[in-house]
Amino acid sequence: MTSLRPRISVTWGRGKDVSPSPQPPMSVVKSIELVLPKDAVYLAGCTIEGQVVLTLNSTLVDPIVKVELVGRGYVEWNEETGASRDYSREVICNNKADYVHKTKTFPVQDNWLSAGSHTFDFHFNLPPRLPSTFTSKIGNIFYFVQASCMGREHILAKKKIYLMVQGTSSIFHAEKSLQNPLLVEAEKKVSYNCCSQGTICLQVQMEKNTFTPGERVIFTTEVNNQTSKCIKTVIFALYAHVHYEGFTPNAERRSRVESSELLRQEANTHITAFNTTKIVSTFHLPPVLSVSGSGSQDSEIMNTQYELVSTVHLPWSLTSIKAKVPIIITSNPVDSNQTAAGCRTRAVLPVSSDRQN
């Protein structure tokens, strides 16, 4: 009679075990997908429409299929305290906010789903007052839609897609509006060649200073060179100055301001001595921007101001001259008669790859 012996794998020297590894049982859920318009920008107050597509390898009993809309914001940074004393220490300052959390659970007939693909339609209405999607080293405001399938209290599959949301503005008071058209002028006396002196006058003129995300910004820069030197470069840049609000572990309020360069252009000019030159420039704003000022809902953790800066570098004088124009970014609230398709716009720039999954 032949006896049955257990199979024994043998490893020689530094070789690897060549016996077949046990295979996990095949999951009931083959895949779960979210179907949404690609690279869409949603305005606060609009409707998000999409589908959840669930594909099963076999029958699933008592499933829970749901989709969630989540919007959150947080800020965090390290701050030194006691620097003026004999000791100092770092504390973490942070703050957070919840903007939206909605859930839809799909009804399942007879509490079971057969093998194959199943499609569930959904829509969410975004709240009318939301801050824009935002990312920096200190703060983030993010929105996502997440689909999930559960069976017998175990999560069998999940899928998450981040959204681009453009916030809307509160009404600006008249005293906050700047003159239209807008003219900003800067003048500086400079010294060069030891005893020589001259004047540089820089003017920036715009037809308006209030814009919406994705809009084109056109401005004219005039440089009056009253020196015997040549000016070769003029730089234009759009800056965002973000004011963050946070708290220490002892609930002490802290704030921090960080500036970042959003757009930049460099004009190679040849402004000769005692001459004046005009330069017409154009910026195309990003499709999603935080709205200006503290009237938006994100002001509880941050608020943003914008500034257009024209700079003339004078290497022969070891100095520079700048003209700074305040810019207001606004976005109109959604009209009650707008359709879901009218609320949604196509993004000019693709969503960052690290936000896709």
Side-chain angles (χ1 to χ4, degrees):
M1 181 177 179
T2 303
S3 61
L4 299 177
R5 298 183 179 180
R7 180 177 178 181
I8 301 176
S9 61
V10 180
T11 303
W12 297 95
R14 292 183 177 272
K16 295 182 179 179
D17 189 345
V18 296
S19 61
S21 58
Q23 296 296 319
M26 184 173 60
S27 173
V28 176
V29 178
K30 183 177 180 180
S31 66
I32 187 169
E33 298 294 335
L34 276 164
V35 180
L36 288 165
K38 186 178 180 182
D39 298 336
V41 175
Y42 295 92
L43 296 179
C46 286
T47 300
I48 298 172
E49 296 179 342
Q51 293 179 327
V52 176
V53 181
L54 177 67
T55 305
L56 303 177
N57 288 312
S58 58
T59 300
L60 180 59
V61 179
D62 294 332
I64 299 176
V65 184
K66 65 180 181 179
V67 61
E68 299 171 90
L69 169 65
V70 179
R72 299 184 183 126
Y74 70 89
V75 296
E76 181 175 296
W77 72 89
N78 292 335
E79 187 171 286
E80 188 177 26
T81 62
S84 59
R85 304 177 183 178
D86 294 336
Y87 65 91
S88 64
R89 63 187 181 90
E90 280 193 349
V91 297
I92 295 178
C93 303
N94 56 32
N95 202 353
K96 64 180 180 179
D98 292 320
Y99 300 116
V100 58
H101 192 171
K102 297 183 177 183
T103 302
K104 178 178 176 59
T105 301
F106 300 105
V108 177
Q109 189 175 3
D110 298 328
N111 289 330
W112 67 276
L113 293 171
S114 61
S117 292
H118 304 269
T119 300
F120 305 90
D121 297 324
F122 69 88
H123 74 271
F124 288 117
N125 294 322
L126 287 170
R129 294 291 307 280
L130 287 176
S132 302
T133 300
F134 177 86
T135 300
S136 75
K137 292 181 179 179
I138 292 179
N140 286 272
I141 295 174
F142 57 92
Y143 301 88
F144 63 84
V145 173
Q146 178 173 274
S148 62
C149 177
M150 294 182 62
R152 302 188 185 279
E153 300 182 354
H154 294 289
I155 297 176
L156 302 176
K158 269 186 179 182
K159 180 69 175 183
K160 180 189 293 185
I161 290 183
Y162 284 86
L163 306 176
M164 298 291 282
V165 174
Q166 173 58 51
T168 56
S169 308
S170 59
I171 299 174
F172 285 92
H173 297 293
E175 61 266 24
K176 291 186 177 180
S177 300
L178 300 180
Q179 58 179 329
N180 189 3
L182 183 67
L183 176 66
V184 174
E185 182 176 286
E187 185 176 288
K188 179 179 267 190
K189 290 184 178 180
V190 295
S191 299
Y192 54 96
N193 294 345
C194 296
C195 57
S196 299
Q197 285 189 337
T199 302
I200 304 290
C201 184
L202 178 61
Q203 288 186 349
V204 178
Q205 186 170 7
M206 309 176 73
E207 289 300 316
K208 62 176 184 176
N209 75 313
T210 301
F211 302 92
T212 58
E215 193 176 353
R216 185 173 62 172
V217 179
I218 302 175
F219 57 98
T220 301
T221 303
E222 181 177 292
V223 182
N224 185 358
N225 179 17
Q226 293 301 311
T227 71
S228 60
K229 292 287 188 177
C230 180
I231 296 175
K232 298 181 178 180
T233 304
V234 183
I235 295 175
F236 314 105
L238 178 66
Y239 290 91
H241 308 295
V242 185
H243 184 103
Y244 299 97
E245 294 284 343
F247 296 89
T248 68
N250 295 328
E252 299 173 336
R253 179 179 286 274
R254 293 288 188 270
S255 62
R256 177 166 174 166
V257 177
E258 292 284 330
S259 298
S260 60
E261 187 179 276
L262 300 181
L263 300 168
R264 182 184 179 91
Q265 286 183 7
E266 184 172 317
N268 295 318
T269 61
H270 191 77
I271 307 173
T272 57
F274 304 102
N275 204 350
T276 300
T277 297
K278 286 187 177 181
I279 305 167
V280 178
S281 306
T282 302
F283 277 144
H284 288 275
L285 294 175
V288 176
L289 286 171
S290 299
V291 297
S292 297
S294 58
S296 58
Q297 188 164 332
D298 59 342
S299 60
E300 57 187 290
I301 62 173
M302 66 178 76
N303 66 75
T304 308
Q305 305 290 339
Y306 297 91
E307 194 173 48
L308 178 65
V309 181
S310 295
T311 305
V312 176
H313 290 287
L314 310 172
W316 34 266
S317 180
L318 300 179
T319 187
S320 62
I321 179 172
K322 296 183 178 183
K324 301 179 179 181
V325 183
I327 299 294
I328 295 174
I329 300 298
T330 183
S331 182
N332 294 330
V334 174
D335 189 290
S336 59
N337 295 323
Q338 280 185 286
T339 62
C343 286
R344 190 176 62 243
T345 60
R346 297 292 292 177
V348 177
L349 300 177
V351 179
S352 175
S353 58
D354 61 352
R355 285 292 193 193
Q356 287 296 321
N357 238 3

